[in-house]
Amino acid sequence: SETETLRTVFQSSVKYAALLTIPVTAAIMTLSKPLVSTIFGQKYTLAPLFLTLYAINYLYPAAGSLSLENFLNGQGKTEVTMKLTLLNLTVGLPLSLVLIPTFGVPGLITTTFVSGIPSLATGLWWVKKHYRITVDWPSSAKICLSSGIAAATTYIITSQLNLQDWIQLIAGGVIFLAAYLAVTPLTGAITRADVNNLKAV
C-alpha cells in the first residue's frame, strides 16, 4: 500500500542518515580537544567544550530531523513546514533573549539545540497522526548505542595516551571507526540488507 511504502522510505531515510551523522558527531564530541588543538593550537581553551555542546544539534537525525521536512515537502505539505519553522522561531527568540545575555556562547548554543525540539516533536506527531508513520525508534536507539560504545572506547583508550594532539586525533579516529564497525553488527544497528541498500544508493 502507499502508506507502507511511505513508511519504508521515511524510516529508511532516517536510519541511513543516522548511520552516518550520529557516529561522526559522537567522534567529534569525543575528540574535540585534540581536534581543536590540532587546528588552532592551545589558544582557545573553551573551544572543545563549545564544539561538544554545538555537536548535540547533529544528534537529532536519529529522531528524523533531516528527513521530516523533506518528507512533508514531498507530500506537498509546505504549509506544515512553514508552521513548524514559525514554532521554532517562537521558541528560539525568547530563549535567546534570556540565555545569550546570561550565559554568552553556551547560551547561544543551548538556544540552537533546544529551540528545535518542540517543532521536531510536533512534526513527528503530525506525520504519525495523518500518515500513521513514525521513526523506527529501536533502530535509532541501536545506532546511538553503537556510537556511544565506540565513543566511550575511544575516550578510555586515548585518555591513557600521552601523544601529540594531531597523533592522538588520528589514533582516536582509527579507534572510533574500528570500534563502531565492530559494534554495529553486534547491536543490530546495521544488517546485511542495510549494507546492500547502502551500496545500491
Side-chain angles (χ1 to χ4, degrees):
S1 66
E2 183 179 353
T3 299
E4 188 61 35
T5 301
L6 287 174
R7 180 183 294 109
T8 300
V9 170
F10 180 73
Q11 292 184 344
S12 295
S13 68
V14 172
K15 180 174 185 177
Y16 297 147
L19 274 171
L20 297 175
T21 58
I22 302 304
V24 171
T25 302
I28 289 174
M29 295 172 77
T30 305
L31 300 170
S32 59
K33 188 176 184 300
L35 176 61
V36 170
S37 298
T38 298
I39 298 174
F40 299 108
Q42 303 294 330
K43 295 182 293 183
Y44 304 102
T45 55
L46 291 177
L49 172 62
F50 294 160
L51 178 59
T52 300
L53 289 175
Y54 186 73
I56 293 174
N57 284 297
Y58 297 95
L59 296 175
Y60 292 157
S65 64
L66 292 178
S67 305
L68 182 61
E69 182 177 343
N70 291 329
F71 176 84
L72 290 171
N73 290 340
Q75 297 304 306
K77 304 299 180 182
T78 52
E79 76 282 359
V80 178
T81 302
M82 184 185 71
K83 290 176 182 177
L84 294 177
T85 302
L86 291 175
L87 175 59
N88 194 338
L89 180 63
T90 302
V91 174
L93 185 58
L95 268 180
S96 66
L97 295 176
V98 173
L99 295 180
I100 295 175
T102 305
F103 300 104
V105 175
L108 172 62
I109 295 172
T110 302
T111 298
T112 60
F113 69 74
V114 170
S115 61
I117 295 176
S119 59
L120 176 59
T122 302
L124 291 174
W125 168 81
W126 195 93
V127 167
K128 185 174 183 179
K129 178 181 178 182
H130 291 85
Y131 293 97
R132 300 191 302 279
I133 295 172
T134 189
V135 175
D136 183 355
W137 295 108
S139 178
S140 292
K142 291 173 184 177
I143 294 170
C144 291
L145 175 62
S146 300
S147 300
I149 293 173
T153 302
T154 303
Y155 179 79
I156 291 171
I157 295 175
T158 56
S159 63
Q160 305 301 316
L161 302 176
N162 186 21
L163 302 171
Q164 295 183 44
D165 289 321
W166 68 273
I167 298 176
Q168 187 165 337
L169 177 61
I170 294 173
V174 171
I175 293 168
F176 186 96
L177 181 61
Y180 183 70
L181 292 177
V183 169
T184 46
L186 298 177
T187 60
I190 190 168
T191 64
R192 175 67 63 180
D194 293 323
V195 173
N196 293 333
N197 289 338
L198 288 170
K199 285 181 179 179
V201 171

